[in-house]
Structures are given as C-alpha cells and as structure tokens.
C-alpha cells in the first residue's frame, strides 16, 4: 500500500518527497509544520524503508517530541522503538551517557539545574578574589550560560577585551568546570557543549553517530544557538541529509543566545539546499492573519512569506484602551465573562498573554476576585518546589556519590544535628585526601577536630545513604523513593512542621512525585527504554514550563508571550501594548531588538484561532506612582479596517501619511529613549523598590556616578543586608507596588 498523501497540501507534499540533501522548510504559524515533519519521518520509514534507528529528530520541548512520536506511530501503525526523537538537551545527554568515559566522566553524572549551578558557583568564588558585593553567584551563572551558548571556553576569554565581571570570568569559568568534573556533573549548557567537544576530539565517535543518523530533522530551527548549530553540522557533515523546519518571523530567543542567522543563512551554510514555503494557515481567521502579516512585514531580517487562509469567517481584532492598568485587567475579565457566558466558551479556550511576568499580578487578582479558574505557565514549577527538590537531592546522591551539591542540601535535612561547621571540616579533609565529600564522611572518625558524638551522626547519615544505594539495585524507582521519603523522616517532617493546609499541600506534592515516577517507569517499559532512577532524574532535569502544563484543565491560561510559542487557543488576549512594555524598554536598544519585539507580538497574535483582543492602558503604575504611557508603535502597523477600537479617548489618525509620521516618531523614540547614554536617573531613583534574584526585595538608598558604572546602594529587606552594586551587572528589577 502506497503512502497516503491526502492530508498534505501540494507544498507540504513536495517537502516530504525531497528526502535527500539539505532541505529548509519555512513554515509560517499554523501552517502544518508538525504534520509535514511527521509525514516526512513516516515516509522515510514506510516508503523509503529507512530503519527508525537511522533517523534523528530534534525538538525544543519534550511536549513537541511526544506529539511528533505519537503522530508518526499513528501514521505507521506500529511503535517506532528505534527512532531517536527528543530535545537537543535530552539527545545530547543520551549520547553523553554512552560516551562519558571519553570525556573523563562516569555515565551516572548529575545534571545541575540553575539552583545547583548557583550553589556551585558560590562555592567556587569563595576561593577566588572576586568582588562578591558587585557580582553575585546568580549574575555569574547567567553570564557563564551566555558564554557557553556561544561555544566559548575559558581559554577563549583570555583573548577578549575584559572589564567588569568579564575580568574575573576566565578564572571563574575554569574553576567552575573543574568543580563540575570533580562532582561528576554537567550543567544544562554543558549538555550542548560536551558532545561537540567529544566529536572534535574523537573522530571515530563522530563517525559512529554520523553513520548511525543518516537522516536528521530539526524543528524550530530559528531558535538554535551556536552550540546547537555546531552539533547539527558535525552530525550531517558527511551525508548532508538535513531537514530543518522553522520560521524566521518567530525567532524570539535572541536574548538567550538563539541566532536568527542560522535560518537566514541556511542556503549559504548548506549548498544546493531545497527551500519550501508553507504559507497556508489552518489556525487563524483572515483578520488575525492579515494583522499579523502587516506587523511582521516591517522587519528587515526576513526571508519572506505571507500567510493566507481559506477561512473567510471571523471577526475583527478588538483593541481595548483603558485609563489604567487596573482598568485594563478589569476589562480583560469582563471580556472573558462575555466569551464564556455569551459565546459559550470554556475557560480552557482562553489565554491571556503578557510581555513580563510582573503584569500577571493584577490580572490574577481579577481572576481570584471573580472566582475564575486560571493556571499560570511559568510560576513555581513542580520539580522546583522545596519538598520535591529535597527528595530529588537524596536520589541524585544515591545515583552519583560525587555530587557534593546534592549532599550538602540534605546532610542535615531533616535535622540530624550535622551543621555547616562540621561539613566544612569534612570538606577540608576530603580536599587533603583527594577524595569526594561522601567518601570523607565514611572516614569521619579520622578527623580529630570532630567529636565522637558528631562523628556518630555523620556515620549514621553515611550508612543511611549506603543502604539506599544497595537497595537501588533491588527496588523499582518508585519503591525506592517512597521508602526513602518515609525512612529518612521527610514525610514526617512535612506532616508535622507546617500548618494543616501547607502540610497537606506539600505531602500531596510528594505523593504526586511518586505517581510521576510510576508513570515514567510504565512509559519507559512500554517503549523498551531505560526506566532507571538515573533516567528519571535526567528527564526531570530537562523539563520545561510547557512540559508540565496541563492543557486539559478547564481554566484560563496566563503566560508570557515567550511561553505561548507553539500553542494555540480559540481566544487570545494580549495585554500591555505600550511603548516601553511591548516593545520592552531596555537600558540600550537597537533596531535588531525592536525587530525581535515585533516578532514576539507576531507570535502572540498567531496563537489566536477565532478571536484576538489587544489592550493597553493610558497609565500604568510603576515605582509607586502612575506613569502616562504611549500606545505601542505596533498598533500603528495594523490597518484600521482590521480593528475595532473600544475607547472614548483614542482616535486613530485618518491619513496614511499621519500614521507613517507617528510610526516613524515612535521608532525613533524607542531607539533614543533606550540609548546607552540615557540618564540613569530615568531608570533608577533613590527610594525606589527593586528586586534581585539572589537578595530578594530591596530599596535603593543611594546612587553614585553615571552610566553603566554607576554604583547603586540597595538595602535588601528580605536578607537584612545592604549591598553596593554596579548598575551594568546589578540585574535589578523595578517593583510595582
């Protein structure tokens, strides 16, 4: 029986049939890219008789990987056991598990999340001459991540111009990597770097994977950074059978290292590439598409395409103008009420999107006051809750005894009387004996400065972990975890140390963890894949916000525009279309950043299937006072005939000439107001409340100097300390009261 192409349009079919050589599929929003990708994989297996194990498919979320795998299996009618499909990080981790010894690691290495990285950096810089009053561990972690995503190593930094934090970065980077190796750990960014290092240092291993993966497919190619680009290039260098799917108009991650030039220059990087454009949209109505097209066409960094639809129904875009941001939130709530009770929508049909997380508070207040059920994507993640991280730290130590970060988290939790002073003495002994911290705890009786009573407590902990290590080979992952939670006293701690409501909530979360391990094990066994505790810990460490979002719950979804990428809803609200918010005001800005902000709005608009609401407030509360705002220049880019504007005070300019003049003025204003020479007094003020990722909430007490070198003195109320920070590296977020 021949392959069924009936579900594909002509351009999609061409893209599926072009199986060999480099292929770029430019897939506009809602144009069926997943259908095209999955059909291509199914065609390779079913018609070209390519073994699934010869195919590698790379995505950016586990959710996308699961969806693709399920679709391919439905098309083929069988379980595709050999196919490698997953995120860049999960595929890289899988390679590193197999080849770890070639890079000086053991295969049971830990994967450090941001919290673990910050703890490791704090330990590292305590031994270096780094001015910690200026450069916090969180600030350093952020900078190191950016450097790694550019595929730079410590030796590369010595040749670069260094000032501020970058003056200390090479030594920090070097010491940090040494610490990770001693702990048999990789951080999130290492998962991308290490396989490339592996391939470059071991040509035979590169050949092994290049021969294995005869066909490579990449989703969301516009979001790849330099390290991901190099990983792909190494794998396909020999056979060039690379198919990438992407949309330069949805490139919105430049701030975290993604390089739009990877997709713009694809035809130069891969000669004789076939290019297909998917422009028919199956998601949104004509008003939404025309409006989105009219906005994004103002960008210059484009290959170019124009979305269209056969769907001629639908209504114009609603633009809501309100006096204040509070009134904006109230209007959004009123419109949600109309959609639910008048238009018979379900709560889960509706999403409210915003540029920054800070905007969600007043919207949440409206939801709560009027008993509207809602979910926030990007809030406190399940696997980052304290009770979950405590148990995961035990599990990480059981798998990898070199992991001192996990060990130090739980050595005195629940309380067993082993304090920081004792741990510090054991650390010094471990360094002297050149053994890891856990081994040193087993030899604590050799440390004269630790009393016999204290040594006994340490040995009890050591034996507890050793017992669980031996049990791990006999018990399933869920049996081991539930036994551990009980025998370590963690469950008892959370049942007795908090008020009833919080206690019940935390214990419920722990039981949910047991259930998630059970589901993981069942899924892995069904697909004949590694179901070990180590594999579970790896999957947890690579989860994203969207992966843990329950799209089936009947609740309004609140999320940032960035988080909404790849999703779709019948009704979408986008709030805060104001100059300085969307596009976002920065300390410095240029036209490239303005274009990324425009793409971000384009992504948000094209999430809507049937109804799109845009809103802005004429004043917004900032720094303890109401500040007047100006409507976003992006509204000026939408033709008048596509919008219904609800406002008594906003009048759209009648002539195109007037609109162009106003638009040009706003573009210039955006660049000028974000110029590097801007007075810092316009950004920070004495008495202003701010937030810092490490020190929490604080208030500015003094300002010294000007520009990026300005010194900002902040009294942090959460920590009860005062810090003097350099503005360039302070990473302070103004707080709205």
């Amino acid at each position: 029986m021949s392959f069924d192409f009936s579900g594909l349009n002509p351009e999609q079919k061409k893209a599926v049939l072009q199986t060999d050589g480099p292929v770029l599929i430019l897939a506009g929003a809602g144009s069926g890219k997943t259908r095209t990708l999955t059909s291509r994989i199914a065609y390779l297996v079913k018609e070209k008789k390519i073994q699934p194990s010869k195919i590698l498919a790379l995505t950016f979320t586990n959710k996308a990987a699961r969806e693709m795998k399920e679709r391919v299996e439905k098309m083929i009618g069988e379980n595709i056991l050999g196919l490698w499909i997953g995120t860049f990080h999960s595929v890289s981790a899988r390679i590193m598990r197999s080849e770890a010894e070639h890079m000086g690691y053991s295969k049971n290495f830990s994967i450090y999340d941001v919290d673990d990285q910050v703890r490791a950096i704090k330990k590292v810089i305590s031994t270096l001459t780094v001015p910690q009053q200026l450069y916090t561990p969180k600030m350093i972690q952020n900078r190191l991540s950016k450097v790694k995503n550019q595929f730079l190593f410590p030796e590369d930094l010595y040749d670069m111009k260094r000032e501020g934090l970058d003056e200390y970065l090479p030594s920090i980077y070097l010491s940090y990597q040494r610490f990770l190796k001693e702990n048999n750990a990789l951080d999130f960014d290492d998962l991308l770097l290490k396989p490339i290092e592996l391939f470059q240092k071991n040509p035979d291993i590169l050949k092994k994977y290049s021969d294995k993966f005869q066909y490579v497919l990449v989703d969301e190619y516009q979001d790849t950074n330099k390290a991901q680009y190099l990983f792909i290039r190494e794998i396909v260098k020999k056979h060039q059978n690379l198919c990438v799917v992407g949309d330069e108009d949805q490139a919105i991650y430049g701030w975290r290292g993604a390089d739009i030039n990877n997709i713009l220059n694809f035809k130069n990087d891969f000669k004789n590439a076939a290019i297909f454009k998917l422009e028919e949209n199956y998601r949104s109505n004509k008003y939404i598409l025309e409006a989105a097209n009219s906005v994004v066409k103002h960008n210059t960094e484009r290959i170019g395409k124009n979305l269209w639809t056969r769907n001629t129904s639908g209504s114009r875009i609603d633009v809501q103008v309100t006096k204040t941001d509070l009134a904006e939130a109230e209007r959004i709530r009123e419109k949600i009420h109309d959609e639910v009770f008048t238009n018979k929508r379900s709560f889960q049909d509706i999403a409210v999107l915003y540029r920054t997380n800070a905007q969600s508070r007043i919207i949440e207040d409206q939801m709560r006051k009027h008993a509207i059920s809602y979910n926030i994507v990007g809030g406190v993640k399940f696997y980052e809750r304290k009770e979950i991280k405590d148990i995961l730290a035990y599990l990480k130590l059981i798998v990898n005894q070199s992991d001192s970060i996990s060990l130090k988290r739980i050595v005195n939790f629940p309380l067993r009387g082993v304090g920081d002073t004792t741990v510090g003495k054991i650390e010094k002994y471990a360094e002297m004996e050149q053994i890891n911290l856990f081994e040193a705890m087993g030899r604590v009786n050799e440390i004269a400065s630790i009393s016999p009573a204290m040594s006994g407590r340490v040995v009890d902990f050591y034996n507890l972990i050793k017992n669980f290590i031996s049990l791990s080979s006999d018990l399933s992952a869920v049996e081991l975890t539930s036994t551990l939670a009980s025998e370590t006293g963690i469950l008892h701690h959370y049942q007795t140390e908090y008020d009833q409501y919080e206690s019940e909530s935390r214990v419920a979360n722990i039981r949910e963890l047991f259930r998630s391990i059970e589901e993981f094990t069942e899924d892995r066994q069904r697909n004949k894949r590694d179901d070990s505790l180590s594999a579970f810990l790896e999957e947890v460490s690579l989860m994203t916000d969207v992966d843990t979002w329950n799209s089936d719950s009947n609740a309004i979804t609140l999320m940032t525009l960035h988080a909404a990428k790849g999703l779709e809803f019948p009704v979408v609200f986008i709030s805060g279309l104001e100059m300085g918010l969307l596009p976002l005001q920065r300390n410095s800005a240029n036209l490239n950043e303005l274009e990324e902000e425009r793409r971000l709005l384009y992504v948000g608009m094209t999430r809507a299937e049937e109804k799109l609401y845009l809103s802005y407030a004429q004043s917004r509360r900032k720094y303890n006072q109401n500040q007047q705002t100006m409507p976003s220049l992006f509204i000026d880019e939408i033709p008048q005939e596509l919008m219904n504007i609800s406002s008594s005070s906003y009048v759209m300019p009648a002539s195109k000439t007037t609109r162009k003049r106003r638009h040009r003025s706003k573009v210039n204003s955006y660049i000028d107001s974000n110029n590097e020479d801007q007075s810092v007094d316009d950004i920070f003020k004495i008495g202003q409340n701010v937030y810092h990722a490490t020190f929490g909430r604080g208030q500015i007490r003094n300002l010294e100097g000007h520009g990026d070198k300005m010194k900002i003195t902040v009294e942090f109320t959460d920590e009860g300390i005062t810090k003097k920070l350099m503005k360039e590296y302070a990473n302070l977020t103004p707080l709205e009261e």
Side-chain angles (χ1 to χ4, degrees):
M1 181 178 175
S2 61
F3 190 79
D4 182 10
F5 290 101
S6 60
L8 302 174
N9 66 35
E11 196 70 4
Q12 290 170 336
K13 182 178 178 181
K14 290 178 190 175
V16 169
L17 290 171
Q18 183 69 46
T19 55
D20 296 331
V23 173
L24 168 61
I25 303 175
L26 285 172
S31 63
K33 73 176 178 66
T34 304
R35 182 189 310 139
T36 306
L37 259 183
T38 51
S39 295
R40 187 180 171 90
I41 295 171
Y43 182 76
L44 285 170
V45 174
K46 206 167 184 179
E47 288 295 311
K48 300 279 286 185
K49 305 303 179 187
I50 305 298
Q51 290 295 318
S53 59
K54 294 285 187 182
I55 301 171
L56 170 64
L58 295 162
T59 68
F60 275 85
T61 67
N62 294 301
K63 179 176 178 291
R66 284 194 300 270
E67 183 182 349
M68 285 175 62
K69 182 174 182 292
E70 288 166 3
R71 287 204 194 186
V72 173
E73 288 179 343
K74 191 173 181 180
M75 289 180 186
I76 295 176
E78 60 185 77
N79 194 322
I80 44 173
L81 295 177
L83 175 67
W84 277 44
I85 182 168
T87 65
F88 277 92
H89 290 89
S90 64
V91 166
S92 295
R94 192 172 173 183
I95 291 173
M96 283 300 296
R97 293 283 178 207
S98 298
E99 314 295 344
E101 69 276 7
H102 295 284
M103 299 295 288
Y105 294 84
S106 62
K107 65 179 182 179
N108 64 331
F109 59 81
S110 298
I111 298 174
Y112 280 180
D113 62 17
V114 172
D115 182 52
D116 296 329
Q117 292 169 45
V118 169
R119 289 169 183 250
I121 290 168
K122 187 175 182 179
K123 168 69 176 172
V124 165
I125 62 177
S126 68
T127 64
L128 302 173
T129 55
V130 178
Q132 296 181 46
Q133 72 276 17
L134 293 180
Y135 312 119
T136 65
K138 176 58 182 160
M139 189 188 304
I140 294 168
Q141 182 275 328
N142 185 55
R143 182 74 181 112
L144 276 176
S145 180
K146 289 181 179 178
V147 165
K148 287 186 174 186
N149 280 318
Q150 293 171 324
F151 200 67
L152 295 173
F153 297 89
E155 57 270 24
D156 299 318
L157 303 184
Y158 285 107
D159 300 327
M160 298 169 63
K161 181 183 177 182
R162 303 199 307 275
E163 58 182 11
L165 174 58
D166 287 353
E167 178 183 344
Y168 305 94
L169 205 61
S171 59
I172 295 172
Y173 192 170
L174 199 63
S175 299
Y176 173 64
Q177 291 304 124
R178 190 181 300 121
F179 179 88
L180 289 180
K181 200 158 194 177
E182 288 170 355
N183 284 265
N184 192 33
L186 300 178
D187 68 19
F188 203 59
D189 301 304
D190 282 334
L191 289 177
L192 298 179
L193 267 65
K194 291 301 178 184
I196 305 170
E197 273 192 88
L198 174 74
F199 293 156
Q200 292 178 346
K201 292 177 180 178
N202 302 273
D204 55 326
I205 295 177
L206 172 60
K207 183 178 185 302
K208 168 184 168 182
Y209 286 98
S210 183
D211 289 345
K212 174 177 176 57
F213 300 127
Q214 288 295 307
Y215 292 88
V216 178
L217 301 93
V218 183
D219 192 14
E220 305 285 10
Y221 188 66
Q222 77 282 348
D223 292 336
T224 53
N225 59 30
K226 184 172 182 180
Q228 289 160 332
Y229 165 79
L230 291 172
F231 176 81
I232 296 163
R233 194 183 68 179
E234 291 293 323
I235 292 285
V236 305
K237 189 183 293 182
K238 181 179 177 182
H239 53 68
Q240 296 281 294
N241 291 332
L242 171 66
C243 172
V244 304
V245 181
D247 180 5
E248 79 279 18
D249 291 334
Q250 296 187 68
I252 59 174
Y253 292 113
W255 54 276
R256 72 178 188 196
D259 189 351
I260 192 174
N261 290 304
N262 288 348
I263 191 167
L264 295 178
N265 296 333
F266 184 85
K267 61 183 179 183
N268 298 324
D269 293 335
F270 300 94
K271 303 300 181 185
N272 303 314
I275 300 177
F276 303 94
K277 293 185 180 182
L278 307 185
E279 296 174 303
E280 182 175 359
N281 179 281
Y282 297 93
R283 177 189 299 155
S284 306
N285 72 41
K286 65 174 184 177
Y287 293 102
I288 295 169
L289 284 186
E290 287 181 29
N293 284 333
S294 68
V295 170
V296 81
K297 74 179 182 183
H298 284 80
N299 278 356
T300 58
E301 289 189 316
R302 299 186 73 209
I303 299 172
K305 65 187 152 321
N306 202 56
L307 294 184
W308 61 277
T309 180
R310 301 174 196 271
N311 178 10
T312 58
S313 63
S315 58
R316 294 180 183 183
I317 294 167
D318 246 318
V319 179
Q320 304 289 322
V321 185
T322 58
K323 294 286 187 185
T324 66
D325 50 352
L326 177 58
E328 178 191 41
E330 290 172 343
R331 183 71 60 82
I332 289 172
R333 188 260 307 160
E334 290 167 0
K335 291 296 180 181
I336 288 174
H337 184 277
D338 291 345
E339 289 290 346
V340 172
F341 291 99
T342 304
N343 298 330
K344 307 303 179 187
R345 306 279 191 190
S346 296
F347 283 153
Q348 68 189 52
D349 292 338
I350 302 171
V352 182
L353 312 180
Y354 34 79
R355 178 61 181 86
T356 67
N357 280 307
Q359 291 171 256
S360 74
R361 183 188 61 79
I362 54 175
I363 298 172
E364 286 185 72
D365 287 346
Q366 285 295 310
M367 301 295 119
R368 283 195 298 267
K369 284 177 185 176
H370 296 271
I372 296 174
S373 179
Y374 68 92
N375 286 326
I376 292 188
V377 177
V380 178
K381 302 172 192 171
F382 177 77
Y383 292 103
E384 290 184 1
R385 297 179 186 276
K386 182 185 183 306
E387 60 272 21
I388 303 303
K389 285 190 72 90
D390 289 337
I391 294 177
L392 292 179
Y394 272 98
L395 298 178
K396 285 181 178 181
L397 183 60
I398 290 166
V399 169
N400 173 22
Q401 291 84 62
S402 296
D403 185 352
S404 68
I405 296 296
S406 294
L407 189 159
K408 288 165 75 174
R409 182 184 180 100
I410 48 92
V411 66
N412 200 33
F413 178 81
L415 290 175
R416 50 178 62 93
V418 181
D420 292 342
T421 302
T422 300
V423 173
K425 291 176 182 178
I426 302 173
E427 277 190 293
K428 287 180 181 177
Y429 176 80
E431 290 168 5
M432 184 177 66
E433 294 294 316
Q434 295 186 318
I435 57 178
N436 67 45
L437 182 57
F438 183 72
E439 288 179 78
M441 286 185 170
R443 292 163 54 179
V444 67
N445 292 321
E446 299 175 19
I447 306 173
S449 60
I450 297 179
S451 69
M454 181 62 74
S455 294
R457 294 174 198 159
V458 173
V459 170
D460 286 346
F461 171 76
Y462 175 82
N463 289 335
L464 176 75
I465 299 301
K466 290 289 284 185
N467 181 50
F468 281 116
I469 292 170
S470 63
L471 285 174
S472 64
S473 58
D474 299 321
L475 300 180
S476 68
V478 70
E479 288 171 334
L480 181 74
T481 307
S482 60
T483 303
L484 183 148
S486 177
E487 293 192 8
T488 58
I490 290 177
L491 266 177
H492 177 74
H493 169 83
Y494 284 118
Q495 286 168 338
T496 59
E497 294 296 314
Y498 297 89
D499 63 47
Q500 183 179 355
Y501 174 78
E502 187 168 355
S503 174
E504 289 175 355
S505 174
R506 289 179 184 267
V507 171
N509 286 336
I510 291 172
R511 300 202 187 286
E512 181 65 22
L513 174 65
F514 300 159
R515 193 168 72 87
S516 70
I517 297 174
E518 199 164 28
E519 289 175 353
F520 166 84
T521 303
E522 290 171 356
D523 178 71
R524 286 300 183 102
Q525 289 174 347
R526 186 166 52 250
N527 289 287
K528 298 182 180 177
R529 288 192 60 195
D530 182 6
D531 65 344
S532 67
L533 179 59
S534 177
F536 172 75
L537 291 172
E538 179 179 303
E539 177 159 296
V540 166
S541 68
L542 301 179
M543 282 191 172
T544 65
D545 290 343
V546 173
D547 291 328
T548 55
W549 168 58
N550 181 9
S551 59
D552 295 327
S553 65
N554 190 23
I556 306 291
T557 298
L558 272 58
M559 64 173 75
T560 64
L561 287 158
H562 283 99
K565 189 162 173 289
L567 305 178
E568 57 188 40
F569 301 87
V571 180
V572 170
F573 292 81
I574 304 178
S575 65
L577 267 87
E578 300 146 26
M579 296 301 293
L581 192 54
L582 187 60
L584 188 68
Q585 180 174 322
R586 292 183 172 87
N587 294 343
S588 63
N590 54 41
L591 285 174
N592 288 337
E593 289 175 340
L594 178 62
E595 293 205 355
E596 181 153 316
E597 291 290 306
R598 186 179 280 117
R599 291 193 291 268
L600 189 56
L601 176 60
Y602 174 81
V603 166
M605 295 173 74
T606 53
R607 298 313 93 198
E609 297 172 334
E610 300 168 19
K611 185 65 182 176
L612 174 62
Y613 293 88
L614 306 178
S615 66
Y616 74 87
Q618 294 173 322
S619 72
R620 189 168 291 273
R621 192 162 181 79
K622 294 181 180 178
Y623 319 141
N624 278 331
Q625 59 183 354
N626 286 323
Q627 296 187 1
Q628 296 301 305
T629 69
M630 184 184 296
S632 172
L633 64 91
F634 300 146
I635 294 179
D636 297 337
E637 296 173 352
I638 302 173
Q640 289 175 268
E641 61 271 18
L642 301 178
M643 298 185 288
N644 288 321
I645 298 177
S646 301
S647 172
S648 58
S649 56
Y650 180 81
V651 179
M652 184 72 79
S655 72
K656 288 185 178 180
T657 302
T658 303
R659 293 192 77 195
K660 285 181 179 178
R661 189 181 300 121
R662 186 171 79 174
H663 180 261
R664 192 181 308 115
S665 173
K666 286 183 180 177
V667 171
N668 293 336
S669 172
Y670 173 80
I671 301 300
D672 292 342
S673 66
N674 289 284
N675 192 277
E676 287 182 328
D677 296 328
Q678 172 188 5
S679 168
V680 181
D681 294 338
D682 292 340
I683 304 170
F684 294 117
K685 295 179 174 66
I686 293 174
Q688 179 181 330
N689 291 319
V690 293
Y691 177 79
H692 190 279
T694 301
F695 305 122
R697 292 171 59 94
Q699 191 172 69
I700 294 177
R701 294 303 188 192
N702 193 32
L703 301 172
E704 303 170 45
H706 300 283
D708 284 342
K709 304 304 179 188
M710 177 187 235
K711 303 291 191 344
I712 306 173
T713 302
V714 184
E715 181 181 340
F716 290 101
T717 51
D718 286 358
E719 293 288 327
I721 57 175
T722 298
K723 292 281 185 180
K724 185 180 286 188
L725 308 172
M726 187 180 291
K727 173 189 168 287
E728 183 179 8
Y729 301 103
N731 284 349
L732 292 172
T733 302
L735 286 178
E736 297 179 16
E737 295 302 320

